Amino acid sequence: MRWALILVASLALCGTALAAWTEQDHEIFRLNDELEKHEGKGTTFYSFLGLDNGPSSSLEEITKAYRKMSRQMHPDKNPSAGATDRFARLGVIANILRGEQKERYDFFLQKGFPRWKGTGYYYARFRPGLSAVLVFIFLITGAAHYLILSMTAATERKRIERYISECKAQAWPNGYPPADNSKRRIQDQSGRTFVVYPDGTVWLADSATNEEYILDPDDIEPASWRRTVLYKFPVWLFESSFGKFVSVKNETSLPVKKPRAKTKSKTKAKKGEEGQEKTAEMELNKKVLSDGKVVEAATVTGGRRRRRK
C-alpha cells in the first residue's frame, strides 16, 4: 500500500512538471540543444547573433545583428552542407529574441535549462520503443493490482468486523455475555444464521451441512507483491519455458534409493507415536463449554477458517 501511494504521487508530480512546460518552451529547448550541437557548447542565442550585451540588447540591436548575420549566412554565399538549416535556425532565433518569447528564454538562460529527463522534452529527444512501453505498462499494472488487493483486503476485513459487532450487539443487548454462559443464535436480514458463543466468537451456521464457520478478520489474506502480476507473470513465464527443463533435469539427476525395510518393533513404535500426535491434536481442537458440552473444531479444506460440528 505504501509503495503504491509513492508511485501514484510520483506520477502526479511528473504530470505536474509536464504541464509546466509549454510548446514554446519545448521550441526553445530544442533550438538551444541544436545550437550547442552545431555551434559549440555554451553558445547562446545572443552569441550566435554576435550580440555582446546579451539579454540587455535592445530590439534595434537584435534586428541590426540579425540582418548582418543573415547576409553572411545566406545559402547563396555559403553553398556548404547544412547552410540552409543554419540560416533557417538563425531566423527562428531572431524571431524569439524580437518577440514575447525573449523573456522566457532569458529566464532559462539565467536559471538554467532543464537537465532532468522526466517531461515531454525527454520524449522529444528519446522516443521509447515498444519494449520500454510494455515494461512501463507492466509496472503500472502491477502497482494498480497491488493497490486493488490492498483495498479489497481492507474492505473485507471491515465487513467481517462489522458482522461480528452487529451479531454481538444483537445477541448481547447489554454488552455482556449471558449469565448462564450459553450461546445465542441470531439471524440477519438476509436470513443467515449466526451463533455467538460466550467467549465472544461469532460463527456462521450452515444449515445444509450442519456446520459452523468462524468469522475471524485475521483470516483475510493481506495484500502481497507475490499475489500481483509483477510476481506471478514472471514465475508463470519461467515455469512454462525454462522451468520444464530445470525440473526434468533435477528429477533425472537425483539418485533413486530403495526404501529400507522396517522392523516390526519400529513400525509399532511409529504407529504409537502417530496415535499420540493424533490424540494431542484432537485435544487442542476440543472446546469445553460451561454447560459441559464438548465442541470439536477442525480446519476447513482450502482456507484458514475453522468449523464446529
Side-chain angles (χ1 to χ4, degrees):
M1 185 67 176
R2 179 182 61 183
W3 289 106
L5 293 177
I6 293 176
L7 179 60
V8 173
S10 301
L11 293 176
L13 290 176
C14 291
T16 305
L18 176 62
W21 308 126
T22 63
E23 294 182 2
Q24 291 77 12
D25 294 337
H26 288 186
E27 181 68 14
I28 292 175
F29 300 156
R30 183 184 63 82
L31 285 172
N32 183 73
D33 287 343
E34 292 182 359
L35 192 62
E36 290 188 343
K37 180 179 179 181
H38 296 283
E39 304 297 332
K41 191 69 175 178
T43 305
T44 65
F45 290 3
Y46 297 103
S47 61
F48 183 58
L49 290 173
L51 295 169
D52 298 332
N53 295 331
S56 302
S57 302
S58 62
L59 179 60
E60 183 179 356
E61 292 175 341
I62 295 174
T63 303
K64 183 177 180 181
Y66 166 67
R67 291 174 181 175
K68 178 182 178 181
M69 295 298 297
S70 62
R71 289 192 297 267
Q72 295 177 2
M73 295 183 182
H74 199 279
D76 294 340
K77 295 183 179 181
N78 298 278
S80 60
T84 303
D85 295 338
R86 194 165 184 253
F87 182 77
R89 191 179 302 116
L90 174 67
V92 177
I93 291 176
N95 291 334
I96 290 177
L97 295 181
R98 291 185 296 180
E100 296 179 355
Q101 292 179 266
K102 178 181 182 302
E103 183 179 357
R104 194 64 174 167
Y105 172 76
D106 292 342
F107 171 81
F108 291 115
L109 186 63
Q110 180 183 4
K111 303 296 182 180
F113 288 87
R115 299 179 182 274
W116 55 285
K117 312 298 183 182
T119 63
Y121 174 52
Y122 168 71
Y123 185 79
R125 299 181 62 184
F126 173 77
R127 296 183 182 275
L130 179 61
S131 58
V133 173
L134 292 178
V135 170
F136 178 76
I137 294 176
F138 178 68
L139 294 177
I140 293 297
T141 304
H145 191 189
Y146 181 84
L147 183 62
I148 292 174
L149 290 177
S150 300
M151 296 174 62
T152 303
T155 303
E156 189 68 14
R157 187 179 183 88
K158 290 181 180 179
R159 186 176 70 88
I160 297 298
E161 292 176 349
R162 178 171 54 85
Y163 273 130
I164 294 175
S165 60
E166 290 179 356
C167 290
K168 292 173 69 174
Q170 185 176 352
W172 303 343
N174 57 356
Y176 298 97
D180 56 354
N181 287 330
S182 60
K183 62 182 181 181
R184 292 289 188 268
R185 302 179 68 91
I186 60 174
Q187 286 187 346
D188 61 357
Q189 296 179 355
S190 59
R192 290 175 297 186
T193 303
F194 295 91
V195 182
V196 181
Y197 282 85
D199 59 358
T201 57
V202 179
W203 300 70
L204 174 63
D206 189 352
S207 57
T209 60
N210 197 23
E211 295 174 345
E212 297 175 359
Y213 300 89
I214 190 171
L215 301 183
D216 190 355
D218 294 334
D219 289 340
I220 304 300
E221 187 175 2
S224 173
W225 286 108
R226 290 178 174 268
R227 297 175 56 198
T228 64
V229 293
L230 289 177
Y231 178 82
K232 288 188 174 182
F233 180 75
V235 170
W236 172 83
L237 193 63
F238 175 79
E239 292 178 350
S240 302
S241 55
F242 301 102
K244 296 180 179 179
F245 302 100
V246 174
S247 60
V248 172
K249 183 178 179 180
N250 292 337
E251 291 176 0
T252 55
S253 61
L254 292 176
V256 179
K257 295 183 179 180
K258 296 182 179 180
R260 294 181 179 180
K262 297 182 180 179
T263 62
K264 186 175 181 180
S265 59
K266 290 184 178 180
T267 304
K268 289 183 177 180
K270 184 65 177 177
K271 289 183 177 180
E273 293 178 358
E274 292 179 354
Q276 292 177 1
E277 292 177 356
K278 185 176 182 181
T279 303
E281 182 181 357
M282 292 298 295
E283 289 178 355
L284 290 176
N285 289 336
K286 288 181 179 180
K287 183 178 181 64
V288 180
L289 301 181
S290 58
D291 55 359
K293 183 179 180 182
V294 179
V295 181
E296 295 180 356
T299 303
V300 180
T301 304
R304 295 179 58 235
R305 294 183 300 174
R306 295 165 291 175
R307 68 183 180 184
R308 291 184 177 180
K309 295 181 181 180

